[in-house]
Amino acid sequence: MTHKREIQGVVVKISGDKTASVLVTRQVIHPRYHKMVKRFKKYLVHDEKNELKVGDKVVAVECRPLSKTKSFRLKMIVSTGAN
């Protein structure tokens, strides 16, 4: 059994039918200045039931490629957005 990668982030956009764009933030140490800096990346997440809203915090798990750029599916909604 292989270990599937999990990402946690915030929904920033509903990108078409059954798809949401999730912004994942991580912190790394700057190589020269040795300060914590934020790095961002957006992933497309498959939402089978169209239940995500902008602002929701979600956990997504890696799966087989569902389209050219979509390789994650929704695992659970951690908290709903302020909207």
Side-chain angles (χ1 to χ4, degrees):
M1 184 172 158
T2 60
H3 178 70
K4 300 292 185 178
R5 199 162 52 122
E6 287 188 0
I7 58 171
Q8 184 171 2
V10 178
V11 177
V12 291
K13 182 181 178 183
I14 303 301
S15 311
D17 189 34
K18 298 185 180 181
T19 305
S21 183
V22 175
L23 183 70
V24 176
T25 305
R26 63 187 179 96
Q27 289 189 330
V28 296
I29 296 179
H30 193 281
R32 173 177 287 175
Y33 301 115
H34 303 291
K35 289 182 70 175
M36 295 299 283
V37 292
K38 290 182 181 178
R39 297 285 183 238
F40 303 96
K41 188 169 180 182
K42 282 199 245 180
Y43 295 93
L44 291 182
V45 173
H46 183 68
D47 176 20
E48 185 64 37
K49 299 176 186 171
N50 279 327
E51 57 191 358
L52 291 179
K53 305 275 188 292
V54 174
D56 291 352
K57 290 184 182 175
V58 297
V59 174
V61 65
E62 193 174 26
C63 64
R64 65 181 179 84
L66 299 169
S67 69
K68 180 181 175 182
T69 56
K70 188 164 56 166
S71 296
F72 284 88
R73 61 180 166 79
L74 181 65
K75 182 176 182 182
M76 64 183 232
I77 299 173
V78 177
S79 64
T80 57
N83 297 0

